[in-house]
Amino acid sequence: MANKKALSKLKGREAIVVGIILVMVVVFSLLSPTFRTYTTFVSLLDSSYYVALMAIGVTFPLITGGVDLSIGTGLISYALFGGYLIVHQEMPVAVGLIACVIMGTIFGVLNGFLVAVMELPPFLATLCTCMINRGIGSLLSGGFGISWPSALSSDGWFRSIFRINSNGKILPVGIILILVLVLVMNFVLKHTKVGRYTIAIGSNKEATRLAGVNVKFYHIFAYTICGFFAGLAAIAYSGTYVTIYPGSGAGFEMDAIGGAIVGGVSASGGVGSIIGTFLGVIVICLMKVGLPFIGLQANWQQIITGLILIGAVLIDVVKKRKV
Amino acid sequence: MGDVILTMKGIDKSFPGVHALDHVDLEVRKGEVLALMGENGAGKSTLMKVLTGIYKKDSGTITYEGKEVEFKNTREAQDAGIVIVHQELNMLGHLTVAQNLFIGREFKNGIKIDDKKMNEEAKKLFDRLNVDIDPTETMSKLTVGKQQMCEIAKAVSFDAKVIIFDEPSAALTEAEIEEMFKIIRDLKKKDIAMVYISHRMDEIKVITDRVTVMRDGTYVGTLITNECTKEDIINMMVGRVIYEDPKTVSAVPKDAPVVLKVEHLNAGKMVQDVSFELRKGEILGFSGLMGAGRTETARALFGADPKESGDIYINGQKVTINSPEDAVKAGIGYLSEDRKRYGIVVQKTVAENTTMATMHKFMKGLFIDKKKEEEVAQEYVDALATKTPGVDQLVVNLSGGNQQKVVIAKWLTRDCEILIFDEPTRGIDVGAKNEIYKLMNKLASEGKSIIMISSEMTEILRMSDRIVVMCEGKKTGEIGIEEATQENIMNLATREIN
């Protein structure tokens, strides 16, 4: 009953995405007995944390009508930086965690500055910082992978933010953190000035400026939120995977952006919700984890992801044409 | 009449290459509606933008409520009580009505925006203005009329003492205009001063108390609305001296064959039942004020926008034009008013631009015949006297006038018999203008037929053999160059529509 009520509160688009998720779960479960196991469930969640965090962040630039392509290689670069401090400089783990977030935030501000003040096209500006990040990551690590402390070592406490090993049973507690952040950022987007002006900029930037809003500030802020969450995603990635490899990370941003678009964020700006983004991320991650169970390997996943995105964007375009 | 609340004196403003405002004066009194009139580009909107801090004035003084002021931005002007209701609606379509009304000054409850209070305040405001709008409705779902009411309500909510309406009625229906007038009369009683920019003579008569007229960036004069006629106002608007000789006689014989005939063309609100004929070797001017529907007519004729109905005959043969491709096949070329956006590819060479529309003529098998392309481009450069170091020069390095010539060359390679020039000399300096004029005359004398859309009265009178005047999507008249005067054109361009 309570569930039904919660469902009816979701808006049209979000309800559709929930429906898609249910259909996918049912289909995968029917076709593959190994899919419907606890282990799969946990690995699904593990692989969704960093995507979800990136997606929450990138929703803000997307709603302003822009994009942030730097979060994928950024994530790896920040995680390498944190790992470098912990492993090679023997600093406390907490310092490494904070370093991830600070570096992410700095790159967020930089992206925001390039877009809002220097007026570079977001696609171009963040493509450049994407490449810069990849270079920084390789430089820091000297080209070798860096492993953050393992769960068994005394410094591995940070991994229990995301999963707790209780008598051989793994509890995916990271999802609680993600859900809390989803609710918090949903509130920020819907009920605070930052969120309101993010939508306003995506809706009509000039009109927002003429209303006396400091558009540049809020535009930068949107990218800063994105960078901050890329930093959090770096922590989630380091907390769920063993080794961070320099040079990886390209393409991660597409999962996050794809999730946001599937969840109803308009590629032309002005429209979107964090809850929708989160649901969209679940769709993307379900596919990545689920398709191999029914015998479709990576290449098929990409093709199907592409098709789903076209579908999601088409809904957007068709709706607009009607108006 | 009330006391003076606002005085602008000797306002001067230049943009690169344009002296937009030349020592303009303006005086507004409490509780009056002052009409601000003038042709396109007379400087009305610029003056209002200087007032509200969107533009910075070069010199002059603004006195408001007895004190000299200079607002740095619209926010400061708003806070002081001067608010502009824009020509284009400045609405955030994705937000609700109340969120729009209070954008930039949201009520807050801690860090949370208090949407409930905003909805209540919006409701109170609408009640006060007797407007029936739901504050929680999404803005994009309202009709244009309702959106306009929101803009006005927003202005009122700033405790405005001066409200500027920049062509507020352009997109409204009769009933909506009536509703807006009711609000304006209400505001007058509350001693609010209003500046009303509009081209619609009948509205000026109904709603305004005084009329200030501007022309070419200068102040012409101010009249009491009740004591003047429409003709008085028009004379002030157009009473300029034309330096270049207007054409007085058309060289086109009266029995020249009709190459293009358009009958009952309809395409949305901006093109309603437009019919006209174009004769061989003729330059047919299309005159009218901003938003008269001239460009829209050309675009519908050219197949760039969908048309609802209407027949097109070329050399007496009925043709179907559903796309620019069809139009080009029928021998029509269209030179857009927005050259940079639609006309040329600035990062390509003169030769490449010249042959862009006729690639197939320059193919040698699968490859482009560069040599032939350059030869042909050179021919046109010579014929049109385009000033360029060579045909391999990037178009971006050419002046506006020479870029326009490249566009003309592009259409000439297609053997177009009918050329539509939309604002052919916009953004082109005076010397180059004369060359474009000469070129157009030459083309006409060679038997090409030209439709020229122009917002410049001098250009219309200098170039046209015949003039079609449009107003709000309808053709309001047709004048031969022999009878044409600034006055009778402007009269048709501002004709009241019943």
Side-chain angles (χ1 to χ4, degrees):
Chain A
M1 195 60 203
N3 259 339
K4 214 172 178 184
K5 219 173 172 185
L7 260 183
S8 68
K9 258 188 133 176
L10 294 173
K11 288 205 192 106
R13 178 58 171 265
E14 287 155 3
I16 293 174
V17 181
V18 169
I20 293 174
I21 292 171
L22 292 179
V23 169
M24 286 171 77
V25 169
V26 169
V27 170
F28 288 146
S29 302
L30 286 178
L31 291 177
S32 160
T34 41
F35 177 80
R36 44 179 198 262
T37 59
Y38 186 68
T39 325
T40 311
F41 178 63
V42 171
S43 74
L44 169 71
L45 289 182
D46 275 352
S47 70
S48 73
Y49 299 150
Y50 73 94
V51 182
L53 288 169
M54 277 194 293
I56 292 172
V58 83
T59 298
F60 284 79
L62 284 172
I63 290 180
T64 65
V67 74
D68 187 344
L69 299 176
S70 73
I71 51 177
T73 58
L75 178 161
I76 294 297
S77 160
Y78 314 149
L80 285 169
F81 179 53
Y84 169 81
L85 293 180
I86 298 165
V87 177
H88 296 303
Q89 301 295 324
E90 293 175 3
M91 291 193 181
V93 170
V95 173
L97 298 179
I98 294 169
C100 283
V101 176
I102 289 179
M103 200 172 156
T105 308
I106 289 173
F107 267 93
V109 173
L110 174 65
N111 283 330
F113 177 78
L114 291 176
V115 172
V117 180
M118 306 307 287
E119 298 183 349
L120 292 183
F123 180 86
L124 206 71
T126 60
L127 191 65
C128 297
T129 49
C130 166
M131 292 194 273
I132 291 171
N133 262 321
R134 197 196 298 219
I136 290 178
S138 300
L139 277 179
L140 280 174
S141 60
F144 298 104
I146 292 181
S147 303
W148 284 49
S150 81
L152 300 172
S153 74
S154 59
D155 282 336
W157 56 268
F158 69 96
R159 292 192 187 264
S160 56
I161 302 172
F162 302 98
R163 51 197 295 178
I164 294 172
N165 193 333
S166 137
N167 301 328
K169 191 105 178 143
I170 291 172
L171 302 175
V173 289
I175 188 67
I176 297 170
L177 175 73
I178 301 287
L179 286 177
V180 168
L181 286 174
V182 164
L183 292 179
V184 169
M185 294 319 284
N186 198 53
F187 177 85
V188 169
L189 182 60
K190 287 223 155 72
H191 299 291
T192 68
K193 274 195 172 185
V194 172
R196 182 66 42 86
Y197 294 156
T198 299
I199 299 172
I201 289 170
S203 193
N204 186 339
K205 190 170 152 200
E206 181 61 11
T208 311
R209 191 179 72 83
L210 289 178
V213 174
N214 186 343
V215 168
K216 283 190 175 127
F217 174 80
Y218 287 99
H219 210 166
I220 294 176
F221 209 108
Y223 282 86
T224 306
I225 290 176
C226 185
F228 175 81
F229 271 84
L232 290 184
I235 294 176
Y237 192 83
S238 311
T240 41
Y241 293 96
V242 179
T243 306
I244 326 286
Y245 294 102
S248 62
F252 286 7
E253 70 279 0
M254 286 306 158
D255 289 339
I257 294 167
I261 303 271
V262 168
V265 175
S266 163
S268 46
V271 183
S273 80
I274 301 292
I275 291 178
T277 291
F278 176 65
L279 294 172
V281 166
I282 294 180
V283 171
I284 299 280
C285 291
L286 254 179
M287 263 193 323
K288 293 190 89 169
V289 174
L291 287 177
F293 282 94
I294 58 170
L296 294 174
Q297 292 309 322
N299 299 335
W300 281 103
Q301 293 167 27
Q302 289 176 347
I303 292 172
I304 293 175
T305 312
L307 291 176
I308 289 186
L309 278 184
I310 291 177
V313 175
L314 269 184
I315 293 178
D316 207 45
V317 172
V318 170
K319 248 199 295 187
K320 221 175 234 166
R321 253 184 232 149
K322 270 188 198 153
V323 175
Chain B
M1 213 174 292
D3 304 331
V4 172
I5 182 164
L6 173 75
T7 314
M8 300 177 82
K9 216 162 177 53
I11 304 295
D12 212 80
K13 174 78 191 168
S14 291
F15 296 107
V18 192
H19 198 173
L21 296 175
D22 187 359
H23 294 89
V24 177
D25 299 335
L26 187 81
E27 182 193 90
V28 192
R29 298 174 189 170
K30 282 184 186 167
E32 79 162 344
V33 182
L34 175 73
L36 185 57
M37 297 200 73
E39 277 189 282
N40 304 331
K44 299 160 294 186
S45 292
T46 311
L47 184 66
M48 292 301 110
K49 283 179 175 165
V50 165
L51 172 60
T52 51
I54 298 174
Y55 294 150
K56 199 169 152 36
K57 61 184 188 306
D58 297 339
S59 63
T61 56
I62 303 173
T63 314
Y64 173 60
E65 294 195 297
K67 284 189 288 282
E68 189 175 336
V69 291
E70 170 148 23
F71 304 116
K72 285 194 209 66
N73 50 47
T74 45
R75 184 62 175 272
E76 276 189 24
Q78 276 171 9
D79 291 344
I82 301 179
V83 186
I84 195 161
V85 175
H86 286 278
Q87 190 170 1
E88 312 93 41
L89 294 170
N90 274 299
M91 286 294 165
L92 305 164
H94 300 303
L95 299 182
T96 69
V97 169
Q99 288 169 354
N100 264 287
L101 285 182
F102 296 105
I103 187 87
R105 50 187 176 133
E106 285 80 2
F107 295 111
K108 292 213 293 180
N109 186 355
I111 61 157
K112 186 177 185 292
I113 290 178
D114 195 343
D115 275 306
K116 203 165 144 240
K117 175 138 189 251
M118 289 181 3
N119 288 336
E120 284 166 13
E121 289 297 319
K123 185 87 188 58
K124 271 189 224 161
L125 186 63
F126 288 139
D127 286 348
R128 223 168 80 207
L129 295 172
N130 280 321
V131 184
D132 179 30
I133 297 174
D134 177 5
T136 61
E137 183 64 274
T138 305
M139 189 53 95
S140 59
K141 294 200 177 130
L142 298 187
T143 61
V144 178
K146 295 271 192 216
Q147 290 184 1
Q148 184 70 271
M149 298 301 159
C150 289
E151 278 271 3
I152 297 172
K154 187 171 160 187
V156 174
S157 74
F158 281 102
D159 290 322
K161 300 193 183 90
V162 178
I163 302 180
I164 298 145
F165 294 88
D166 194 351
E167 296 201 41
S169 59
L172 302 192
T173 63
E174 293 291 324
E176 286 168 338
I177 292 171
E178 213 25 72
E179 202 176 334
M180 182 175 75
F181 282 178
K182 236 165 51 197
I183 296 177
I184 290 180
R185 288 191 189 102
D186 237 37
L187 294 174
K188 263 176 82 163
K189 281 187 209 130
K190 291 179 181 136
D191 236 15
I192 291 172
M194 282 164 280
V195 178
Y196 193 91
I197 301 177
S198 174
H199 290 310
R200 296 191 180 176
M201 211 55 85
D202 47 346
E203 286 175 12
I204 299 294
K205 279 285 188 194
V206 170
I207 199 71
T208 71
D209 303 299
R210 295 190 303 152
V211 185
T212 290
V213 178
M214 290 178 70
R215 184 205 315 145
D216 299 340
T218 60
Y219 171 83
V220 181
T222 301
L223 304 168
I224 308 279
T225 309
N226 279 335
E227 296 168 4
C228 68
T229 63
K230 181 182 166 184
E231 282 66 35
D232 295 336
I233 298 174
I234 286 179
N235 285 337
M236 286 170 80
M237 281 166 71
V238 298
R240 75 167 74 75
V241 184
I242 295 186
Y243 296 105
E244 286 129 322
D245 293 333
K247 205 182 257 185
T248 45
V249 188
S250 169
V252 181
K254 285 271 175 284
D255 57 349
V258 173
V259 289
L260 172 74
K261 188 166 155 191
V262 175
E263 282 193 330
H264 308 296
L265 186 65
N266 279 290
K269 226 183 135 194
M270 300 304 280
V271 186
Q272 297 173 34
D273 197 31
V274 176
S275 304
F276 62 91
E277 288 179 349
L278 176 67
R279 291 176 187 279
K280 191 169 173 63
E282 182 182 47
I283 298 179
L284 180 64
F286 265 67
S287 185
L289 294 162
M290 213 71 91
R294 296 163 299 159
T295 294
E296 288 81 357
T297 302
R299 287 178 60 92
L301 165 63
F302 189 63
D305 292 330
K307 49 183 156 292
E308 284 144 21
S309 62
D311 297 323
I312 298 167
Y313 300 86
I314 288 185
N315 297 323
Q317 294 278 314
K318 190 171 171 180
V319 292
T320 311
I321 296 177
N322 288 324
S323 67
E325 201 186 340
D326 293 341
V328 172
K329 275 191 190 135
I332 304 176
Y334 176 61
L335 289 78
S336 165
E337 58 179 330
D338 196 341
R339 194 168 51 239
K340 291 230 165 69
R341 226 165 114 200
Y342 302 115
I344 42 170
V345 186
V346 289
Q347 290 299 349
K348 289 207 170 263
T349 66
V350 171
E352 285 166 331
N353 269 287
T354 305
T355 59
M356 200 157 37
T358 38
M359 259 347 295
H360 60 274
K361 287 192 191 168
F362 301 96
M363 300 301 281
K364 208 189 227 168
L366 281 175
F367 302 97
I368 299 167
D369 187 346
K370 280 268 172 207
K371 207 168 143 247
K372 191 172 166 203
E373 182 179 61
E374 282 176 10
E375 278 169 19
V376 171
Q378 189 61 50
E379 271 172 39
Y380 283 105
V381 165
D382 296 343
L384 305 182
T386 312
K387 282 193 200 75
T388 172
V391 292
D392 53 352
Q393 181 67 246
L394 292 182
V395 168
V396 69
N397 298 328
L398 269 48
S399 71
N402 286 305
Q403 289 183 351
Q404 187 69 296
K405 288 183 182 174
V406 174
V407 183
I408 296 171
K410 182 175 90 179
W411 289 112
L412 292 180
T413 62
R414 291 225 66 151
D415 307 319
C416 291
E417 288 304 312
I418 298 163
L419 290 168
I420 306 171
F421 286 79
D422 198 349
E423 305 287 356
T425 62
R426 177 174 290 176
I428 291 175
D429 65 63
V430 180
K433 261 185 181 178
N434 283 325
E435 281 194 48
I436 298 285
Y437 292 152
K438 262 191 240 160
L439 187 57
M440 288 170 72
N441 281 328
K442 181 163 166 263
L443 291 170
S445 68
E446 287 167 8
K448 307 268 186 208
S449 309
I450 294 176
I451 293 173
M452 182 190 72
I453 299 170
S454 175
S455 294
E456 282 182 47
M457 190 65 90
T458 47
E459 189 165 285
I460 287 283
L461 288 173
R462 182 175 171 186
M463 297 300 298
S464 313
D465 295 299
R466 227 160 17 102
I467 298 153
V468 168
V469 187
M470 288 187 70
C471 176
E472 299 183 0
K474 295 192 179 90
K475 176 175 159 183
T476 48
E478 198 177 298
I479 316 172
I481 193 64
E482 293 81 3
E483 299 91 43
T485 62
Q486 297 189 56
E487 287 76 12
N488 60 18
I489 291 174
M490 189 51 65
N491 213 340
L492 287 168
T494 55
R495 203 172 87 162
E496 290 96 321
I497 305 267
N498 300 317

